[in-house]
């Protein structure tokens, strides 16, 4: 699969590494060149410096041919906007968007965006660990 | 159960709310008073302003009587140090520590700390979503 990842923070870099190792074609975008240092030396994907809500940058990263787009910058709004562009403008089939704020996450999930909320997942995991429900 | 939570960020506040609603006695510590605004109006637990690696603060929050301690500040090192204090000095039975850095997480897990790494959980969840393994 051709996969475009927006955001090379800890999660973006680890995800890119995992997908690259599985043989997928990975493009990863980040505003800061130094973020790509999180990727291992053997990373075979392509790195793009730029703003992910800029169409030009998404096009350079190959969004038109992408099978999947994942938005994992540290900004909820940036992730939401980029995901909507990937879905609505570039018709990417699989789009997943990270949203930290549970309220915004619910809203955009109801609007049809595929979302992941680390806040809810984290709190639920800890709740289960403490109350021994896991 | 008596539960002490260190860190009233998004996850800490949500976890405190969930545990409080279930009838547990919750104490929550944060360096910043304004963090407690994340808690709902009906929150019945106790809030403590202070540094979680300070024994005095942990004692005020009732660490000696606690059945569980959860460290979810934004600093991995602070979470690790506070968790070790809870376990070694105050002999809290159930201690769970959030560590963002996967390498440090593995190290401390091997040393016997119960840890949760949002980076690994997040990347794995996204990997499964994209590759349709979930």
């Amino acid at each position: 699969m051709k996969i475009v990842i927006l955001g090379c923070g800890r999660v973006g870099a680890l995800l890119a590494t995992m997908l690259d190792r599985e043989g997928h074609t990975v493009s990863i975008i980040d505003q800061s060149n130094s973020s790509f240092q999180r990727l291992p030396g053997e990373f075979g994907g392509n790195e793009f410096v730029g703003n992910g809500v800029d169409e030009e940058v998404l096009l350079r990263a190959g969004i038109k041919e992408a099978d999947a787009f994942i938005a994992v910058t540290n900004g909820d709004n940036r992730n939401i906007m980029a995901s909507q562009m990937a879905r609505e403008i570039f018709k990417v089939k699989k789009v997943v968007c990270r949203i930290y704020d549970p309220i915004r996450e619910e809203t955009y999930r109801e609007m049809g965006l595929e979302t992941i909320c680390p806040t809810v997942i984290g709190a639920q995991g800890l709740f289960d660990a403490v109350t021994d429900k896991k």
Side-chain angles (χ1 to χ4, degrees), chain A residues 47-69:
Chain A
E47 301 152 16
F48 298 87
V49 178
N51 186 328
V53 293
D54 180 341
E55 276 190 41
E56 201 58 51
V57 176
L58 292 170
L59 283 167
R60 268 199 290 134
I63 191 87
K64 269 190 170 170
E65 298 80 35
D67 302 294
F69 177 80

Side-chain angles (χ1 to χ4, degrees), chain A residues 100-111:
Chain A
Y100 281 107
D101 177 6
I103 295 163
R104 264 182 291 179
E105 195 250 348
E106 205 180 328
T107 305
Y108 284 94
R109 187 158 31 83
E110 281 169 3
M111 283 167 63

Side-chain angles (χ1 to χ4, degrees), chain A residues 43-113:
Chain A
F43 178 66
N46 292 305
E47 301 152 16
F48 298 87
V49 178
N51 186 328
V53 293
D54 180 341
E55 276 190 41
E56 201 58 51
V57 176
L58 292 170
L59 283 167
R60 268 199 290 134
I63 191 87
K64 269 190 170 170
E65 298 80 35
D67 302 294
F69 177 80
I70 300 130
V72 282
T73 76
N74 279 325
D76 281 357
N77 291 341
R78 230 175 315 152
N79 292 340
I80 291 165
M81 286 173 68
S83 296
Q84 289 178 324
M85 285 168 70
R87 212 173 57 147
E88 308 301 335
I89 302 173
F90 299 111
K91 313 291 180 196
V92 180
K93 269 169 286 170
K94 183 82 180 178
V95 175
V96 189
C97 177
R98 176 171 70 185
I99 305 179
Y100 281 107
D101 177 6
I103 295 163
R104 264 182 291 179
E105 195 250 348
E106 205 180 328
T107 305
Y108 284 94
R109 187 158 31 83
E110 281 169 3
M111 283 167 63
L113 215 57

